[in-house]
Amino acid sequence: MSKMINFKKELVGCFGDPIWENPTEAMIEAAFAHHNMDYRYVTTLVPAEGLHAAVEGVKAMGFKGFNCTMPHKVSIIPYLDGLGESAAIMEAVNCVVERDGKYIGENTDGKGFLESLQTVINPQQKKVVIFGAGGAARAVSVELALADVGALTIVNRSHDRGQGLIDLLQKKTSVQAKLNAWQGEFAIPNDTDIVINCTNIGLSPEVVRVPVVKASLRTNMVVCDLIVNPPYTPFLQEAEAQGCIILDGIGMLVNQGRIGIKYWSGIDVDAAVMRRRMEEIYQ
Ligand code: NDP
């Protein structure tokens, strides 16, 4: 008697250019294997000019969704059928989800960070300093604004990008936000509760420290870095030596993976399996 065997996997993946260094497939496939899920995550090189055709292909092939990274986070929006709340505020998408045949753009960057932060502190009404004003800073600051932080100070090297983020926060959220120019070493104000590095500073191969006045890192502060390679950055090492509570970027990455899988499949996967895989790769 023949038995029914299902050889068909549900498809998800990641589109970007460049894409070689994106570790998400290794992390997400570890969760699929651990939970015996009939899913495949495919890392795919999609150049800017191929994005529209790729999204049409996804729709034709019935993908459950996909992540997208540089350079597609903004340019993908016209090809989608709608946006979730924070993606609409940020005007950036990093996770597309199929819901009843419609492809909806979400942003899991900030959500992943917030979940990680909440393991060490409740950000409500806290004073936060963010270094950087690029895509990651935008996602983190919008999500913190929606989580009702007390005040945000954006510290950025270029004025225009910094001001652009302040304008967005003031127009689309009710958070109190101000910009600080960044020249030389930045002295973190004494009353700061949470400090977050959202710049590329510390990313391999240039593993350097974030220029802050070392003594302004105080024991009462939670200090976070988004960099995952290496996870224990010079900035986190310095903050730990000053007695701060520290939080690395792997937690954010893993939470994004967990949230994406939940969006695509409805399944809550074990984040520890994904963290272990990332630690194997980066440590
Ligand atoms: P962007 O290119 O959009 O923004 C980069 C930001 O870093 C800008 O504000 C830029 O300032 C600032 N910056 C870069 N180099 C310097 C420098 N030498 N001195 C001062 N400021 C500098 O990048 P993203 O926002 O997309 O990503 C930032 C980092 O976050 C990346 O390294 C990435 O690895 C990490 N990340 C981690 C995630 C995770 O899950 N852990 C998720 C997403 C990102 P300026 O405006 O002056 O150019």
Side-chain angles (χ1 to χ4, degrees), residues 78 112 123 150 221:
M221 296 176 183

Side-chain angles (χ1 to χ4, degrees), residues 124-152:
Q124 221 176 1
Q125 293 310 310
K126 298 294 189 299
K127 290 195 168 62
V128 182
V129 168
I130 291 182
F131 293 106
R138 184 190 288 212
V140 164
S141 58
V142 165
E143 215 63 61
L144 287 173
L146 296 178
D148 201 22
V149 291
L152 281 175

Side-chain angles (χ1 to χ4, degrees), residues 259-273:
I259 296 166
I261 296 173
K262 174 83 177 173
Y263 276 152
W264 299 324
S265 67
I267 295 172
D268 263 317
V269 295
D270 181 358
V273 172

Side-chain angles (χ1 to χ4, degrees), residues 73 109 132-137 156-158 161 182 198-201 203 226-228 249-250 252-253 256:
K73 288 186 175 183
D109 269 331
N156 201 52
R157 181 179 58 179
S158 75
R161 193 153 25 180
W182 195 359
C198 296
T199 73
N200 306 318
I201 303 172
L203 182 65
L226 265 50
I227 301 288
V228 292
I250 293 186
M252 171 177 178
L253 190 68
Q256 289 191 61

Side-chain angles (χ1 to χ4, degrees), residues 46-231:
V46 176
E49 62 278 14
L51 181 63
H52 191 185
V55 175
E56 290 305 309
V58 154
K59 292 180 179 177
M61 291 184 279
F63 272 47
K64 288 290 178 189
F66 59 97
N67 288 131
C68 65
T69 183
M70 302 293 281
H72 306 314
K73 288 186 175 183
V74 176
S75 54
I76 196 166
I77 292 174
Y79 309 137
L80 300 176
D81 302 312
L83 296 178
E85 185 193 10
S86 54
I89 295 176
M90 292 167 206
E91 294 168 8
V93 166
N94 76 337
C95 182
V96 176
V97 188
E98 185 270 330
R99 291 185 185 125
D100 301 325
K102 303 257 184 263
Y103 284 80
I104 306 299
E106 297 281 357
N107 200 307
T108 59
D109 269 331
K111 290 181 174 55
F113 174 77
L114 187 63
E115 279 193 11
S116 190
L117 183 67
Q118 282 163 337
T119 62
V120 291
I121 190 171
N122 175 358
Q124 221 176 1
Q125 293 310 310
K126 298 294 189 299
K127 290 195 168 62
V128 182
V129 168
I130 291 182
F131 293 106
R138 184 190 288 212
V140 164
S141 58
V142 165
E143 215 63 61
L144 287 173
L146 296 178
D148 201 22
V149 291
L152 281 175
T153 301
I154 305 294
V155 182
N156 201 52
R157 181 179 58 179
S158 75
H159 175 271
D160 288 357
R161 193 153 25 180
Q163 191 57 50
L165 178 51
I166 298 291
D167 292 346
L168 178 137
L169 289 166
Q170 287 176 343
K171 196 167 119 206
K172 298 199 172 169
T173 77
S174 53
V175 77
Q176 196 188 316
K178 68 169 187 200
L179 178 65
N180 257 86
W182 195 359
Q183 284 158 346
E185 296 203 333
F186 183 78
I188 299 160
N190 286 348
D191 61 351
T192 304
D193 303 295
I194 302 168
V195 183
I196 312 162
N197 176 35
C198 296
T199 73
N200 306 318
I201 303 172
L203 182 65
S204 173
E206 278 188 79
V207 185
V208 293
R209 66 184 286 276
V210 175
V212 292
V213 176
K214 191 173 169 187
S216 71
L217 288 164
R218 293 166 190 274
T219 44
N220 56 312
M221 296 176 183
V222 172
V223 175
C224 319
D225 206 325
L226 265 50
I227 301 288
V228 292
N229 183 20

